[in-house]
Amino acid sequence: KAGVTQTPRYLIKTRGQQVTLSCSPISGHRSVSWYQQTPGQGLQFLFEYFSETQRNKGNFPGRFSGRQFSNSRSEMNVSTLELGDSALYLCASSLGPGTGELFFGEGSRLTVL
Amino acid sequence: GIQVEQSPPDLILQEGANSTLRCNFSDSVNNLQWFHQNPWGQLINLFYIPSGTKQNGRLSATTVATERYSLLYISSSQTTDSGVYFCAVRTGFQKLVFGTGTRLLVSP
């Protein structure tokens, strides 16, 4: 079956712009979580959604937001981009919140100039 | 929150050698996974192993939950094993917390 799909895979933005990233989970998976990976901070949790509700949130500013749709697909948005937002953004899906194995997509690599 | 430490941070091996990667965590967990991050950044699932021992080909893993550590064994290493190996844990309904990784380089 198809894995976790993230789009776009690569994108370049300038400071001050906003960006929206998309994640389609594995069929039947209802929980989606997002992670940011940077060389300096490693892999950091952003948020987790289940049944269109945010269940957990990491320590990121309010510029980072997300949502989940009724078909379990999720989007995350970063507004007023800063240079430090340049990172690999990874999405993971699992059957339910807080339980079971997580499967990751290939990631969206964002560069902010 | 829960702390996850991985060792060693870097490992250089010759092809054919065996290695052991370690993951220590500071609290009881209900989820522990090992991942291999490929050069393009994707996290490849190796093991879902909150307790016990599992094997998959040349790789095996053991988690001793009562002593709060997990080990990943790589036998007869190949150049394609190169990359970063992450351990990640979750306690209760909390977020998945990653270790800082072990960077493995296997030379021919």
Side-chain angles (χ1 to χ4, degrees), chain B residues 60-83:
Chain B
S60 64
T62 294
T63 297
V64 184
T66 53
E67 298 189 19
R68 299 181 183 169
Y69 73 88
S70 183
L71 302 174
L72 176 68
Y73 305 97
I74 305 174
S75 64
S76 304
S77 56
Q78 301 175 356
T79 56
T80 52
D81 294 332
S82 296

mmCIF file of all heavy atoms in Angstrom, chain B residues 60-83:
data_model
loop_
_atom_site.group_PDB
_atom_site.id
_atom_site.type_symbol
_atom_site.label_atom_id
_atom_site.label_comp_id
_atom_site.label_asym_id
_atom_site.label_seq_id
_atom_site.Cartn_x
_atom_site.Cartn_y
_atom_site.Cartn_z
ATOM 1 N N SER B 60 19.388 -6.664 14.021
ATOM 2 C CA SER B 60 18.552 -7.122 15.121
ATOM 3 C C SER B 60 18.539 -6.036 16.186
ATOM 4 O O SER B 60 19.400 -5.155 16.197
ATOM 5 C CB SER B 60 19.058 -8.444 15.700
ATOM 6 O OG SER B 60 20.335 -8.283 16.278
ATOM 7 N N ALA B 61 17.526 -6.091 17.044
ATOM 8 C CA ALA B 61 17.398 -5.094 18.099
ATOM 9 C C ALA B 61 16.872 -5.747 19.359
ATOM 10 O O ALA B 61 16.094 -6.714 19.290
ATOM 11 C CB ALA B 61 16.468 -3.957 17.663
ATOM 12 N N THR B 62 17.316 -5.194 20.480
ATOM 13 C CA THR B 62 16.855 -5.659 21.790
ATOM 14 C C THR B 62 16.536 -4.453 22.637
ATOM 15 O O THR B 62 17.334 -3.514 22.709
ATOM 16 C CB THR B 62 17.946 -6.490 22.483
ATOM 17 O OG1 THR B 62 18.170 -7.690 21.747
ATOM 18 C CG2 THR B 62 17.539 -6.848 23.904
ATOM 19 N N THR B 63 15.386 -4.472 23.272
ATOM 20 C CA THR B 63 15.018 -3.426 24.228
ATOM 21 C C THR B 63 14.800 -4.061 25.587
ATOM 22 O O THR B 63 14.002 -5.004 25.709
ATOM 23 C CB THR B 63 13.752 -2.682 23.798
ATOM 24 O OG1 THR B 63 13.994 -2.019 22.549
ATOM 25 C CG2 THR B 63 13.351 -1.642 24.837
ATOM 26 N N VAL B 64 15.515 -3.550 26.583
ATOM 27 C CA VAL B 64 15.329 -3.978 27.972
ATOM 28 C C VAL B 64 14.609 -2.839 28.673
ATOM 29 O O VAL B 64 15.231 -1.894 29.172
ATOM 30 C CB VAL B 64 16.667 -4.308 28.651
ATOM 31 C CG1 VAL B 64 16.420 -4.839 30.060
ATOM 32 C CG2 VAL B 64 17.446 -5.315 27.815
ATOM 33 N N ALA B 65 13.290 -2.907 28.659
ATOM 34 C CA ALA B 65 12.477 -1.786 29.125
ATOM 35 C C ALA B 65 12.717 -1.486 30.607
ATOM 36 O O ALA B 65 12.742 -0.321 31.007
ATOM 37 C CB ALA B 65 10.996 -2.081 28.876
ATOM 38 N N THR B 66 12.928 -2.525 31.408
ATOM 39 C CA THR B 66 13.106 -2.319 32.843
ATOM 40 C C THR B 66 14.402 -1.572 33.145
ATOM 41 O O THR B 66 14.505 -0.897 34.167
ATOM 42 C CB THR B 66 13.111 -3.660 33.584
ATOM 43 O OG1 THR B 66 14.074 -4.520 32.968
ATOM 44 C CG2 THR B 66 11.738 -4.309 33.523
ATOM 45 N N GLU B 67 15.395 -1.688 32.242
ATOM 46 C CA GLU B 67 16.667 -1.002 32.448
ATOM 47 C C GLU B 67 16.813 0.206 31.534
ATOM 48 O O GLU B 67 17.851 0.852 31.512
ATOM 49 C CB GLU B 67 17.822 -1.985 32.267
ATOM 50 C CG GLU B 67 17.791 -3.122 33.287
ATOM 51 C CD GLU B 67 19.041 -3.978 33.258
ATOM 52 O OE1 GLU B 67 20.077 -3.525 32.726
ATOM 53 O OE2 GLU B 67 18.968 -5.116 33.742
ATOM 54 N N ARG B 68 15.776 0.476 30.765
ATOM 55 C CA ARG B 68 15.681 1.709 29.968
ATOM 56 C C ARG B 68 16.804 1.854 28.945
ATOM 57 O O ARG B 68 17.470 2.904 28.879
ATOM 58 C CB ARG B 68 15.579 2.940 30.871
ATOM 59 C CG ARG B 68 14.337 2.871 31.738
ATOM 60 C CD ARG B 68 14.182 4.065 32.632
ATOM 61 N NE ARG B 68 13.016 3.909 33.498
ATOM 62 C CZ ARG B 68 12.733 4.682 34.528
ATOM 63 N NH1 ARG B 68 13.531 5.690 34.824
ATOM 64 N NH2 ARG B 68 11.664 4.474 35.254
ATOM 65 N N TYR B 69 16.998 0.806 28.161
ATOM 66 C CA TYR B 69 17.926 0.930 27.049
ATOM 67 C C TYR B 69 17.528 -0.013 25.928
ATOM 68 O O TYR B 69 16.793 -0.985 26.139
ATOM 69 C CB TYR B 69 19.379 0.662 27.477
ATOM 70 C CG TYR B 69 19.723 -0.776 27.767
ATOM 71 C CD1 TYR B 69 20.157 -1.636 26.753
ATOM 72 C CD2 TYR B 69 19.627 -1.283 29.058
ATOM 73 C CE1 TYR B 69 20.480 -2.947 27.019
ATOM 74 C CE2 TYR B 69 19.943 -2.600 29.340
ATOM 75 C CZ TYR B 69 20.367 -3.427 28.314
ATOM 76 O OH TYR B 69 20.688 -4.732 28.580
ATOM 77 N N SER B 70 18.018 0.320 24.748
ATOM 78 C CA SER B 70 17.801 -0.517 23.579
ATOM 79 C C SER B 70 19.110 -0.578 22.799
ATOM 80 O O SER B 70 19.885 0.384 22.795
ATOM 81 C CB SER B 70 16.695 0.058 22.699
ATOM 82 O OG SER B 70 16.436 -0.778 21.589
ATOM 83 N N LEU B 71 19.334 -1.698 22.140
ATOM 84 C CA LEU B 71 20.533 -1.911 21.340
ATOM 85 C C LEU B 71 20.141 -2.303 19.920
ATOM 86 O O LEU B 71 19.214 -3.094 19.719
ATOM 87 C CB LEU B 71 21.394 -3.021 21.951
ATOM 88 C CG LEU B 71 21.874 -2.826 23.389
ATOM 89 C CD1 LEU B 71 22.579 -4.078 23.891
ATOM 90 C CD2 LEU B 71 22.792 -1.626 23.492
ATOM 91 N N LEU B 72 20.857 -1.753 18.968
ATOM 92 C CA LEU B 72 20.687 -2.127 17.566
ATOM 93 C C LEU B 72 21.984 -2.768 17.099
ATOM 94 O O LEU B 72 23.056 -2.170 17.227
ATOM 95 C CB LEU B 72 20.376 -0.902 16.710
ATOM 96 C CG LEU B 72 20.255 -1.129 15.200
ATOM 97 C CD1 LEU B 72 19.009 -1.968 14.890
ATOM 98 C CD2 LEU B 72 20.205 0.192 14.440
ATOM 99 N N TYR B 73 21.894 -4.000 16.601
ATOM 100 C CA TYR B 73 23.060 -4.725 16.119
ATOM 101 C C TYR B 73 23.054 -4.758 14.597
ATOM 102 O O TYR B 73 22.031 -5.076 13.988
ATOM 103 C CB TYR B 73 23.050 -6.172 16.619
ATOM 104 C CG TYR B 73 22.932 -6.343 18.101
ATOM 105 C CD1 TYR B 73 21.692 -6.589 18.683
ATOM 106 C CD2 TYR B 73 24.050 -6.312 18.926
ATOM 107 C CE1 TYR B 73 21.567 -6.773 20.054
ATOM 108 C CE2 TYR B 73 23.932 -6.503 20.297
ATOM 109 C CZ TYR B 73 22.691 -6.730 20.849
ATOM 110 O OH TYR B 73 22.573 -6.915 22.205
ATOM 111 N N ILE B 74 24.189 -4.422 14.028
ATOM 112 C CA ILE B 74 24.350 -4.537 12.583
ATOM 113 C C ILE B 74 25.485 -5.513 12.340
ATOM 114 O O ILE B 74 26.625 -5.285 12.790
ATOM 115 C CB ILE B 74 24.683 -3.182 11.927
ATOM 116 C CG1 ILE B 74 23.616 -2.140 12.292
ATOM 117 C CG2 ILE B 74 24.796 -3.333 10.408
ATOM 118 C CD1 ILE B 74 23.944 -0.734 11.806
ATOM 119 N N SER B 75 25.192 -6.602 11.653
ATOM 120 C CA SER B 75 26.246 -7.586 11.382
ATOM 121 C C SER B 75 26.644 -7.518 9.909
ATOM 122 O O SER B 75 25.852 -7.112 9.052
ATOM 123 C CB SER B 75 25.757 -8.990 11.727
ATOM 124 O OG SER B 75 24.688 -9.370 10.892
ATOM 125 N N SER B 76 27.894 -7.897 9.642
ATOM 126 C CA SER B 76 28.426 -7.930 8.269
ATOM 127 C C SER B 76 28.056 -6.656 7.522
ATOM 128 O O SER B 76 27.415 -6.696 6.456
ATOM 129 C CB SER B 76 27.886 -9.166 7.523
ATOM 130 O OG SER B 76 28.181 -10.350 8.222
ATOM 131 N N SER B 77 28.456 -5.531 8.062
ATOM 132 C CA SER B 77 28.027 -4.238 7.530
ATOM 133 C C SER B 77 28.406 -4.062 6.056
ATOM 134 O O SER B 77 29.411 -4.595 5.577
ATOM 135 C CB SER B 77 28.601 -3.098 8.356
ATOM 136 O OG SER B 77 30.011 -3.193 8.411
ATOM 137 N N GLN B 78 27.566 -3.311 5.365
ATOM 138 C CA GLN B 78 27.757 -3.001 3.949
ATOM 139 C C GLN B 78 27.773 -1.483 3.775
ATOM 140 O O GLN B 78 27.264 -0.756 4.625
ATOM 141 C CB GLN B 78 26.621 -3.621 3.123
ATOM 142 C CG GLN B 78 26.526 -5.130 3.266
ATOM 143 C CD GLN B 78 25.333 -5.720 2.552
ATOM 144 O OE1 GLN B 78 24.509 -5.005 1.983
ATOM 145 N NE2 GLN B 78 25.216 -7.041 2.588
ATOM 146 N N THR B 79 28.337 -1.038 2.660
ATOM 147 C CA THR B 79 28.425 0.417 2.441
ATOM 148 C C THR B 79 27.042 1.059 2.433
ATOM 149 O O THR B 79 26.890 2.211 2.832
ATOM 150 C CB THR B 79 29.161 0.733 1.133
ATOM 151 O OG1 THR B 79 28.493 0.063 0.061
ATOM 152 C CG2 THR B 79 30.615 0.266 1.192
ATOM 153 N N THR B 80 26.045 0.309 2.026
ATOM 154 C CA THR B 80 24.676 0.845 1.998
ATOM 155 C C THR B 80 24.093 1.027 3.392
ATOM 156 O O THR B 80 23.034 1.643 3.541
ATOM 157 C CB THR B 80 23.754 -0.082 1.186
ATOM 158 O OG1 THR B 80 23.895 -1.411 1.683
ATOM 159 C CG2 THR B 80 24.113 -0.040 -0.300
ATOM 160 N N ASP B 81 24.763 0.519 4.417
ATOM 161 C CA ASP B 81 24.316 0.748 5.794
ATOM 162 C C ASP B 81 24.697 2.143 6.286
ATOM 163 O O ASP B 81 24.225 2.579 7.344
ATOM 164 C CB ASP B 81 24.927 -0.291 6.738
ATOM 165 C CG ASP B 81 24.445 -1.700 6.470
ATOM 166 O OD1 ASP B 81 23.310 -1.867 5.978
ATOM 167 O OD2 ASP B 81 25.212 -2.657 6.746
ATOM 168 N N SER B 82 25.547 2.822 5.567
ATOM 169 C CA SER B 82 25.970 4.165 5.978
ATOM 170 C C SER B 82 24.772 5.089 6.105
ATOM 171 O O SER B 82 23.778 4.957 5.375
ATOM 172 C CB SER B 82 26.964 4.739 4.965
ATOM 173 O OG SER B 82 28.142 3.963 4.933
ATOM 174 N N GLY B 83 24.896 6.033 7.021
ATOM 175 C CA GLY B 83 23.806 6.979 7.251
ATOM 176 C C GLY B 83 23.676 7.247 8.732
ATOM 177 O O GLY B 83 24.558 6.905 9.521
#
